[in-house]
Amino acid sequence: MELRQLRYFVKVAEYGSMGRAAADLGVVTSALSQQISRLESELSTRLLIRTSSGVVPTDAGLAFLRQAQLALRHADGAARAAKASRLSGEVNVGLPATTASVLAVPFMQAMRDRYPEVRVHLIESLSGYLTAMLNSRQLDLAVVFRTETARRWSTLPLIEERLFLIAPQDMPGLPPEGPVRLKDIAKLPLLMPSASHGLRLQFEASCARLRIEPNLAAEIDGLDVLMDLVRSGFGATIQPGAATVRLRGEALAVRQITDRHLRRSNLLASVSDDELSPAALAARVLLAQTVETLVRNGAWPGATLHKS
């Protein structure tokens, strides 16, 4: 027995007409009649009798009508209670600029669809700043690249990102199309974040391992300004695949860097579970699910899911 069948029967009994009930319910009369017949078969009793003026309930139908109306009231009350207790609250989420390029919009859409009553405060900043904000409890959760400054964090490894060279097409010394190695591009004038940035530290560690002295042209702590300078021909940069999402259709050269040790780990970090609100716990789960969906759908260039 389905709630739909109960609603159909109650409408027919109230209107005394299959046609009028069908019009009110927005279904065809034959479908409505079929559902009533199935209900009568399941109950093994006749509920309605056709007359010259329409249909009327039998004695069994009248008894069933009262209980059906009560059941529907209870079902409607349960639905209202569920809606009234929908998850609500506020959650503060931090994303690095490059990660936000690919993740911010899908995550916000997922939150709006799944938890419309939860208000999200999304902060885009450098990973180092997000780390400090987590430690000072200004954020509930954030995507970060290092955890050595963590204080009672909960962390979940998300993905590994390959890095890419992004440069003007006509830059002198630019390697031909195809994958490149760090030693092939280190002499290009590079625009990189400052030394407090995780990407810069990883880049310098890789250069030291290969005994390469990079040509650092300028330090830029801001993805938008950095990319504007690349477009203007001031130099090239090294960024994760997420940063290339905003470059589609632009006349810039993009080369994947093949050095195995030059990859970036993305971790989802949050304050300890006992400090997270239900809204923040739900947002953390949904953010991880959104990342997985993007990677599996090929929407996150150069990213592979963390192997658990």
Side-chain angles (χ1 to χ4, degrees):
M1 189 182 303
E2 301 175 4
L3 283 175
R4 176 181 58 174
Q5 293 173 325
L6 298 186
R7 295 190 192 280
Y8 286 3
F9 170 74
V10 169
K11 282 294 182 183
V12 172
E14 289 175 348
Y15 279 110
S17 166
M18 286 280 188
R20 292 172 61 192
D24 183 87
L25 292 166
V27 299
V28 296
T29 304
S30 58
L32 179 58
S33 178
Q34 186 180 49
Q35 289 298 324
I36 297 297
S37 296
R38 288 181 179 176
L39 181 60
E40 291 178 327
S41 295
E42 185 171 345
L43 295 173
S44 299
T45 188
R46 180 62 67 88
L47 298 176
L48 297 169
I49 297 176
R50 293 185 179 273
T51 67
S52 58
S53 59
V55 293
V56 295
T58 64
D59 290 343
L62 286 172
F64 185 75
L65 176 62
R66 297 188 189 96
Q67 298 302 319
Q69 290 171 327
L70 181 61
L72 289 173
R73 283 199 298 271
H74 286 164
D76 291 341
R80 286 193 298 270
K83 291 178 180 178
S85 62
R86 284 191 302 187
L87 192 64
S88 62
E90 182 175 337
V91 57
N92 298 305
V93 181
L95 296 178
T98 49
T99 304
S101 299
V102 66
L103 180 57
V105 172
F107 170 64
M108 293 296 288
Q109 288 175 336
M111 286 295 297
R112 181 180 61 186
D113 294 341
R114 186 83 62 86
Y115 305 114
E117 304 299 324
V118 174
R119 185 172 62 182
V120 180
H121 179 201
L122 187 62
I123 298 171
E124 177 187 307
S125 187
L126 295 177
S127 178
Y129 298 151
L130 297 178
T131 296
M133 294 179 74
L134 270 174
N135 283 332
S136 63
R137 301 304 189 266
Q138 294 175 270
L139 292 176
D140 297 303
L141 55 138
V143 174
V144 298
F145 310 124
R146 294 183 296 152
T147 59
E148 52 266 35
T149 56
R151 302 172 187 171
R152 295 186 64 217
W153 285 3
S154 294
T155 59
L156 173 68
L158 292 175
I159 61 170
E160 295 285 327
E161 285 187 283
R162 291 181 178 273
L163 299 184
F164 292 76
L165 173 76
I166 304 173
Q169 292 277 12
D170 57 354
M171 172 167 281
L174 180 68
E177 290 189 14
V180 297
R181 294 175 297 176
L182 186 57
K183 68 177 184 179
D184 299 326
I185 61 175
K187 296 305 179 184
L188 296 175
L190 294 174
L191 308 175
M192 297 294 292
S194 63
S196 62
H197 195 284
L199 178 62
R200 171 70 177 279
L201 294 174
Q202 188 174 13
F203 166 71
E204 290 185 343
S206 296
C207 288
R209 177 181 298 183
L210 297 172
R211 297 181 180 179
I212 294 172
E213 187 67 34
N215 179 13
L216 187 62
E219 294 181 332
I220 312 295
D221 282 345
L223 183 61
D224 289 339
V225 174
L226 189 153
M227 294 309 305
D228 284 343
L229 290 170
V230 172
R231 294 183 185 97
S232 299
F234 279 80
T237 189
I238 294 174
Q239 295 292 329
T244 67
V245 171
R246 294 179 178 175
L247 303 180
R248 289 170 181 168
E250 293 195 34
L252 289 174
V254 178
R255 308 280 193 269
Q256 181 174 292
I257 302 172
T258 58
D259 299 65
R260 291 186 177 181
H261 47 79
L262 195 58
R263 297 185 183 184
R264 186 170 75 171
S265 297
N266 285 238
L267 304 115
L268 177 54
S270 67
V271 297
S272 59
D273 288 5
D274 58 353
E275 296 182 64
L276 288 177
S277 67
L281 286 167
R284 185 176 66 179
V285 172
L286 191 56
L287 191 148
Q289 291 174 346
T290 304
V291 169
E292 181 175 355
T293 299
L294 289 169
V295 174
R296 292 193 185 280
N297 291 344
W300 197 314
T304 56
L305 292 171
H306 176 78
K307 297 179 181 179
S308 55

